[in-house]
Amino acid sequence: MPEQQPQEYIEARVDIPREYADAVCNFVIENIANGIVLEEEDDSPTVGIQFYVDEARAGYREQLNLYVASILVDSGLTPPTISERRVKNLEWIEEYRASVKPIRIADDVVVRPPWHDPLPNTRYDIIVEPRMAFGTGSHETTRSCLKIIRERFQPGMRFLDLGTGSGILSILAARMGAVYVKAIDYDLAAVQNAKENCAINNVSTPCDILFGSVEKCEWDEPYDFVAANIIKSTILPMLNTLVKLTRSSGTLMLSGLLTQDEEEVSAALRQLGEADFTILADNKWLTYAVKKR
């Protein structure tokens, strides 16, 4: 039976200082909603970001508030209030689906929705059903993470994916020969989407996709490759644990970070004795690739 669409959506709006609007737009598109409407005036210091969410996703408020607070923390600005109203189904999801195109991440890695045909000269063809979970390949952090995995991941490695979203990073690791994958997210919709995408991609690697956070790894042996594509306010409190979960000479990849986070994150890594890292920048976003000592 076809999936039943909600009869109503929540129309949400948040007014963001202009210099932070791009970051919030990207976060909303990839992590909360399937599309946005921008309302801005040339002489206004803020940009209105409007989007639609299913009523079942009411938890988006806390998610967005935490993110906005994290990027405004050093500005002295007060996080804005999210306004809401209920609207009838505008069928905007179908319009969004029609707009999603395949994305070539590296020379031989392509991310595409299931209704598009594979692109030629593609070794790793990753199919992602774009629902309300982070990771369709269009966001800078997702692209950077995929590039680093493509460069550093080797067959036979064990892969840990914290904040898995759509499961896109785990799928590439599995395709590249991972012997085991553990993918975790605190959003049930993301967990369901990651499982769906692993099935669509015929992932045969032993793979646990779990609801929760880093506590799900408390008794695990160190991993060869640990990925945490989240946000600074979540990464820093668990950084020591992430380092311990990475085996010696393994890779710890940290993303979801803004350029303004570099000094604090770099200092935190050095304080833990981890100074061997490179930073991949894409627009305002940073991704760390740390070689565990």
Side-chain angles (χ1 to χ4, degrees), residues 173-239:
R175 285 284 182 83
M176 292 185 66
V179 294
Y180 174 69
V181 170
K182 178 178 277 190
I184 302 171
D185 206 291
Y186 61 82
D187 186 333
L188 278 173
V191 171
Q192 293 166 359
N193 187 215
K195 290 180 178 179
E196 177 184 20
N197 287 324
C198 283
I200 291 172
N201 286 273
N202 298 313
V203 171
S204 58
T205 300
C207 183
D208 290 319
I209 303 175
L210 307 173
F211 172 75
S213 186
V214 72
E215 78 279 353
K216 295 292 185 180
C217 314
E218 185 176 2
W219 304 108
D220 291 4
E221 292 293 323
Y223 289 81
D224 302 289
F225 200 116
V226 175
N229 185 11
I230 319 176
I231 56 176
K232 183 190 73 173
S233 61
T234 302
I235 287 174
L236 288 181
M238 66 170 68
L239 186 57

Side-chain angles (χ1 to χ4, degrees), residues 14 33-34 42 48 96 145 153 172 205 214 229 246 258 271:
V14 61
N34 284 334
D42 291 340
Y96 171 74
C145 287
F153 198 83
L172 179 58
T205 300
V214 72
N229 185 11
T246 309
L258 291 161
Q271 188 174 4

Side-chain angles (χ1 to χ4, degrees), residues 84-280:
E84 296 179 343
R85 73 183 183 97
R86 299 190 183 280
V87 296
K88 297 295 183 182
N89 186 353
L90 301 179
E91 299 182 353
W92 55 268
I93 291 180
E94 291 305 318
E95 294 178 9
Y96 171 74
R97 283 169 61 96
S99 72
V100 179
K101 307 296 182 185
I103 301 171
R104 188 174 293 278
I105 304 297
D107 289 343
D108 59 358
V109 179
V110 169
V111 181
R112 64 179 175 90
W115 55 86
H116 273 283
D117 293 331
L119 297 185
N121 304 316
T122 301
R123 182 176 182 182
Y124 300 106
D125 178 42
I126 301 175
I127 302 171
V128 171
E129 178 67 56
R131 299 194 186 278
M132 293 180 181
F134 188 91
T136 62
S138 61
H139 193 274
E140 291 91 337
T141 60
T142 308
R143 293 198 302 261
S144 294
C145 287
L146 290 168
K147 289 176 182 177
I148 291 171
I149 292 171
R150 182 66 186 94
E151 291 171 0
R152 295 190 174 218
F153 198 83
Q154 298 295 324
M157 286 185 169
R158 297 170 68 249
F159 185 77
L160 174 61
D161 183 5
L162 291 164
T164 189
S166 68
I168 188 171
L169 305 184
S170 291
I171 292 168
L172 179 58
R175 285 284 182 83
M176 292 185 66
V179 294
Y180 174 69
V181 170
K182 178 178 277 190
I184 302 171
D185 206 291
Y186 61 82
D187 186 333
L188 278 173
V191 171
Q192 293 166 359
N193 187 215
K195 290 180 178 179
E196 177 184 20
N197 287 324
C198 283
I200 291 172
N201 286 273
N202 298 313
V203 171
S204 58
T205 300
C207 183
D208 290 319
I209 303 175
L210 307 173
F211 172 75
S213 186
V214 72
E215 78 279 353
K216 295 292 185 180
C217 314
E218 185 176 2
W219 304 108
D220 291 4
E221 292 293 323
Y223 289 81
D224 302 289
F225 200 116
V226 175
N229 185 11
I230 319 176
I231 56 176
K232 183 190 73 173
S233 61
T234 302
I235 287 174
L236 288 181
M238 66 170 68
L239 186 57
N240 187 47
T241 301
L242 295 176
V243 169
K244 290 179 179 178
L245 283 168
T246 309
R247 72 163 178 82
S248 179
S249 298
T251 296
L252 169 60
M253 184 172 67
L254 308 173
S255 196
L257 304 167
L258 291 161
T259 53
Q260 66 201 49
D261 300 330
E262 181 176 353
E263 183 176 351
E264 187 175 2
V265 174
S266 296
L269 284 167
R270 292 189 177 100
Q271 188 174 4
L272 293 172
E274 301 299 337
D276 187 359
F277 55 80
T278 58
I279 303 173
L280 180 59

